[in-house]
Amino acid sequence: KTIKKIFGNKLPIHIEKLELAKIIFLLENMHNSKYISGAVDQIGICYRGIALMEFNNDFWPQSIVNLNDDSCIDWLNNYLYLVHTKKRPEEFVLYRDDESISLNILKNQNKLADRCWKSIKNKNIIEFGKVINEVHNNQKEIWPNYESLYCKSIIENYRKNHYGCELMGAGGYGYIMIVTDKPEKNFIKVKITK
């Protein structure tokens, strides 16, 4: 909403992508919101291709590696879809003070990011789907309410017939990313910008 309100339907091209992502990050987080909106969405919107981010005890990544290999992007575009569940209810509480952000869980998330990156570069859809499922499960370890009861059965059903599923954004409800070569009627095609 913030991006569209300020920039309309097109991002400015005269601002370098990293600076634009930082500006959007600041705009999203300037209204004394209870929670910090993460940098992943802003970088994903401003960067073309596929981005790997490394964080070090901060809300903004210490490094961003950008993959603009057309063959990898075209390959990944063949398998990515979204499914909308429903809007997160106002009364739904994602952060309940029962989060478990331990060093082991964070190290596991980092290892999963490396495996995900390698699976994309190697164009290994089986491994990519498996890693997406593991990332989703690891995020449930961090935030127990990441997967709402409403979405739990939906995700379990999709996992039976597709390579991988993960809730997008902060979780709870909203969109599920599906990794598949057998899209269903209600799936929305994702297109990575080159």
Side-chain angles (χ1 to χ4, degrees):
K1 291 180 183 179
T2 303
I3 298 169
K4 192 168 186 175
K5 184 177 180 183
I6 294 172
F7 299 116
N9 290 326
K10 194 169 184 184
L11 292 174
I13 57 172
H14 67 283
I15 303 174
E16 195 271 328
K17 62 188 175 190
L18 180 60
E19 282 306 306
L20 184 58
K22 286 181 179 180
I23 289 167
I24 294 169
F25 177 78
L26 293 172
L27 290 169
E28 294 262 338
N29 291 296
M30 66 184 269
H31 296 294
N32 298 325
S33 61
K34 190 174 179 183
Y35 306 105
I36 299 292
S37 174
V40 172
D41 292 342
Q42 291 84 359
I43 291 165
I45 289 167
C46 295
Y47 278 67
R48 295 178 173 276
I50 305 161
L52 174 67
M53 292 157 261
E54 184 179 343
F55 292 84
N56 186 13
N57 203 27
D58 199 354
F59 294 107
W60 192 260
Q62 70 178 10
S63 68
I64 304 168
V65 178
N66 202 209
L67 178 63
N68 282 305
D69 179 311
D70 283 354
S71 69
C72 286
I73 293 169
D74 291 340
W75 171 82
L76 194 53
N77 275 332
N78 289 325
Y79 298 103
L80 293 183
Y81 295 85
L82 294 176
V83 172
H84 187 259
T85 60
K86 69 178 186 177
K87 187 177 178 182
R88 188 183 305 148
E90 291 292 326
E91 68 276 2
F92 181 76
V93 179
L94 180 63
Y95 305 106
R96 305 178 305 196
D97 294 328
D98 60 351
E99 294 82 25
S100 175
I101 307 177
S102 71
L103 189 56
N104 284 341
I105 290 174
L106 294 176
K107 282 181 179 178
N108 189 43
Q109 196 77 350
N110 192 52
K111 288 177 186 172
L112 291 169
D114 288 341
R115 282 179 51 206
C116 186
W117 191 250
K118 286 176 187 159
S119 70
I120 292 168
K121 291 177 91 174
N122 293 329
K123 300 177 189 159
N124 183 337
I125 195 58
I126 304 295
E127 173 68 3
F128 180 70
K130 185 191 290 187
V131 171
I132 291 300
N133 286 334
E134 290 179 43
V135 167
H136 178 86
N137 292 339
N138 199 59
Q139 287 180 221
K140 289 192 310 186
E141 291 290 318
I142 299 170
W143 300 285
N145 218 21
Y146 172 73
E147 180 186 80
S148 66
L149 289 175
Y150 175 83
C151 287
K152 183 177 178 146
S153 62
I154 295 171
I155 290 168
E156 286 173 356
N157 281 332
Y158 282 135
R159 281 187 175 173
K160 291 175 189 172
N161 300 310
H162 305 289
Y163 297 117
C165 301
E166 180 186 10
L167 276 167
M168 303 303 293
Y173 294 83
Y175 287 92
I176 301 170
M177 180 182 73
I178 311 282
V179 180
T180 188
D181 57 0
K182 296 175 184 142
E184 299 177 23
K185 276 186 179 178
N186 61 325
F187 287 15
I188 303 163
K189 187 79 185 99
V190 171
K191 187 172 190 304
I192 300 166
T193 309
K194 293 183 188 180

